[in-house]
Amino acid sequence: MVRERIEIKKIDNATSRQVTFSKRRRGLFKKAQELSILCDADVACIVFSSTGKLFQYSSSSMDSILERQKLHSKNLKKMEQPSLKLQLVENSNYTRLNEEIAQKTNQLRHMRGEELNGLSLEELQDLEKTLEFGLTQVMEKKAEKIMTQINVLQQKSAELTEENEQLRQRVQEVQEVSGNKEQTTPESKITNYEDGPSSESVSTSGCSSSGPSQDCDDSSDTSLKLGLPYYG
């Protein structure tokens, strides 16, 4: 069966209030004892009844626990409120940092050529030496960077030249191979019959005017059989 939940408010009946106080006080002390045993903690409970009667429980000495509580409270207050010495140190550091910032700001303005009226001759000479030294360092670093870039570009140029030479050699080799193939084609072996009869055909087909007509006819037949042109 579900236990009815009690509304948390002041009990009007004095007798019921006293009974509830006694029960809850014993339960509270019991829980404090269990907490002390289970968790090895120093626990102290102080309860005053409505009539002003004191009830207390402590896992050890009540006085020692109260002293520890007071000491801890004092330490917390010290931590929350920094000491005067610490405040002075912080103020001095703050002042010193502000002075350094102002000094560095003035130096930067002087190096830019601003607010030079308040400087003496010696200060101006020192500033000039500082600027000359800084300018020398800048120029040296600039020259070093330029030389590095020049070396890189020269190296790239040499690599490109070498690559171009290799490509040129490859093109030349390809051209030579193509020329050799053209020279070895069978066109040179083709007999040029269209330009006219060869010497053999002429000698075979030729006949003298004084010879008999039978010889000329034989030569013409021979020329036709060889596939050569015949000129009558």
Side-chain angles (χ1 to χ4, degrees):
M1 185 175 180
V2 180
R3 185 176 179 182
E4 184 181 357
R5 186 173 182 180
I6 300 174
E7 185 180 359
I8 304 300
K9 67 177 184 178
K10 181 180 178 181
I11 300 174
D12 296 330
N13 190 299
T15 304
S16 299
R17 186 169 60 246
Q18 184 63 32
V19 172
T20 302
F21 174 77
S22 300
K23 290 181 180 180
R24 294 297 180 99
R25 174 178 53 80
R26 288 194 298 268
L28 177 62
F29 289 168
K30 183 179 180 181
K31 292 295 183 181
Q33 183 181 9
E34 292 176 356
L35 177 62
S36 174
I37 295 172
L38 293 174
C39 301
D40 192 21
D42 287 338
V43 181
C45 293
I46 300 175
V47 180
F48 289 94
S49 65
S50 59
T51 59
K53 188 175 181 180
L54 172 63
F55 299 92
Q56 62 181 9
Y57 166 81
S58 62
S59 58
S60 60
S61 174
M62 178 63 73
D63 294 335
S64 63
I65 294 176
L66 293 176
E67 287 294 331
R68 289 178 60 185
Q69 190 271 337
K70 292 178 181 179
L71 180 62
H72 184 69
S73 299
K74 291 180 180 179
N75 291 333
L76 287 177
K77 290 181 180 180
K78 290 181 179 179
M79 292 177 64
E80 292 175 356
Q81 298 177 357
S83 62
L84 179 60
K85 184 177 180 180
L86 182 60
Q87 290 179 358
L88 293 175
V89 171
E90 290 179 353
N91 292 333
S92 62
N93 291 334
Y94 179 77
T95 304
R96 180 176 56 82
L97 291 175
N98 282 337
E99 292 177 355
E100 290 182 359
I101 291 173
Q103 183 180 0
K104 297 298 181 182
T105 303
N106 290 331
Q107 290 180 358
L108 182 60
R109 290 176 180 174
H110 294 162
M111 295 186 71
R112 290 177 178 175
E114 300 174 357
E115 299 181 4
L116 301 178
N117 294 328
L119 298 178
S120 63
L121 179 61
E122 294 180 355
E123 291 175 346
L124 291 173
Q125 290 177 350
D126 294 337
L127 179 61
E128 182 181 5
K129 291 179 181 179
T130 303
L131 293 174
E132 288 178 353
F133 178 77
L135 181 60
T136 302
Q137 296 294 324
V138 171
M139 293 178 65
E140 290 179 356
K141 182 59 67 175
K142 178 182 177 182
E144 182 181 351
K145 294 288 185 181
I146 292 174
M147 291 303 299
T148 302
Q149 293 181 358
I150 291 174
N151 293 332
V152 172
L153 293 176
Q154 289 178 350
Q155 184 178 0
K156 289 183 178 180
S157 177
E159 292 176 355
L160 292 174
T161 303
E162 183 179 358
E163 185 178 357
N164 189 17
E165 182 65 22
Q166 293 177 357
L167 292 174
R168 189 185 64 79
Q169 292 179 359
R170 290 181 182 177
V171 172
Q172 186 176 1
E173 291 176 357
V174 171
Q175 290 178 352
E176 291 177 356
V177 172
S178 301
N180 293 333
K181 287 183 179 180
E182 291 177 358
Q183 292 177 1
T184 57
T185 54
E187 294 178 358
S188 60
K189 298 180 181 181
I190 299 175
T191 305
N192 190 4
Y193 295 114
E194 296 178 357
D195 293 341
S198 64
S199 59
E200 293 179 356
S201 65
V202 172
S203 61
T204 306
S205 62
C207 60
S208 62
S209 59
S210 60
S213 61
Q214 184 178 359
D215 293 337
C216 292
D217 294 337
D218 293 338
S219 63
S220 63
D221 294 338
T222 304
S223 299
L224 291 172
K225 289 179 181 181
L226 291 175
L228 300 176
Y230 172 75
Y231 301 93

